[in-house]
Amino acid sequence: MKIFAVNQVYKTTLDDKIERVLWLHPEDGGFFAIDIKDPKALPVYRSGAYLRQLERDGAIDATVADPWANIWPAEDSIPLKHRLMRDKNWSLLRPIILDQPAIFTEAGRGKWVTILVKAKSLTHRTIYRLLRRYWERGLSPNALLPDYINCGGP
């Protein structure tokens, strides 16, 4: 078994984490991943050796279901206000997200966050929240849709 696709979700039996593959190293078999259940998670690099060890130990499950797969509504059923919010956030993040693999490192990410804080009057917290949502929820602009379904009463 190999982790071979960006956006693939897998679970390790060592720590019970569910991670999403964000970027694959073209030469060494390593990859950047993020814990999709941790609200404070940041991307971490997993070496090819780490992956091979998990495989040897039988400590990886690449058949785990992606909790964010196929949950996004059809475009025409998304309220205009929500689409505008998503599109605004996507326009902020798009240049950052394209700077791969640098954006997955602390230094690369820090450079971009500083630029956005100064240029767009955003807080670090807002930028990191949006990045995490994008990464954890399937690398889709729709991951930036508001979570209003979780608000209010029954």
Side-chain angles (χ1 to χ4, degrees):
M1 167 181 33
K2 295 221 185 233
I3 302 293
F4 64 92
V6 169
N7 208 20
Q8 183 170 352
V9 174
Y10 68 94
K11 182 177 183 177
T12 62
T13 57
L14 300 175
D15 53 16
D16 219 29
K17 285 185 181 179
I18 298 176
E19 294 185 334
R20 180 178 308 282
V21 176
L22 301 174
W23 181 83
L24 295 166
H25 193 287
E27 296 165 8
D28 80 356
F31 55 96
F32 278 100
I34 192 164
D35 181 341
I36 66 173
K37 299 289 188 181
D38 181 352
K40 303 235 184 235
L42 291 171
V44 293
Y45 188 75
R46 304 293 190 200
S47 69
Y50 170 82
L51 177 59
R52 288 187 293 279
Q53 185 63 49
L54 288 177
E55 290 174 335
R56 277 192 300 273
D57 295 345
I60 188 166
D61 178 5
T63 63
V64 66
D66 184 346
W68 296 101
N70 305 316
I71 67 157
W72 308 118
E75 186 72 14
D76 59 352
S77 69
I78 301 170
L80 178 61
K81 180 179 177 181
H82 295 186
R83 283 185 278 155
L84 292 173
M85 291 172 71
R86 174 205 56 200
D87 295 346
K88 177 184 171 198
N89 290 332
W90 177 242
S91 69
L92 289 170
L93 291 187
R94 193 168 189 280
I96 300 173
I97 290 165
L98 294 176
D99 189 16
Q100 296 181 15
I103 190 60
F104 303 125
T105 67
E106 185 176 353
R109 197 170 41 253
K111 175 189 79 164
W112 277 107
V113 169
T114 299
I115 290 169
L116 282 180
V117 165
K118 290 179 181 175
K120 303 291 184 180
S121 299
L122 296 170
T123 65
H124 285 82
R125 182 179 177 186
T126 297
I127 298 163
Y128 275 96
R129 180 180 51 81
L130 292 172
L131 281 170
R132 280 188 196 100
R133 286 180 75 169
Y134 176 78
W135 289 329
E136 292 173 354
R137 296 180 181 193
L139 308 177
S140 165
N142 278 345
L144 303 172
L145 285 167
D147 282 340
Y148 290 135
I149 195 165
N150 296 331
C151 296

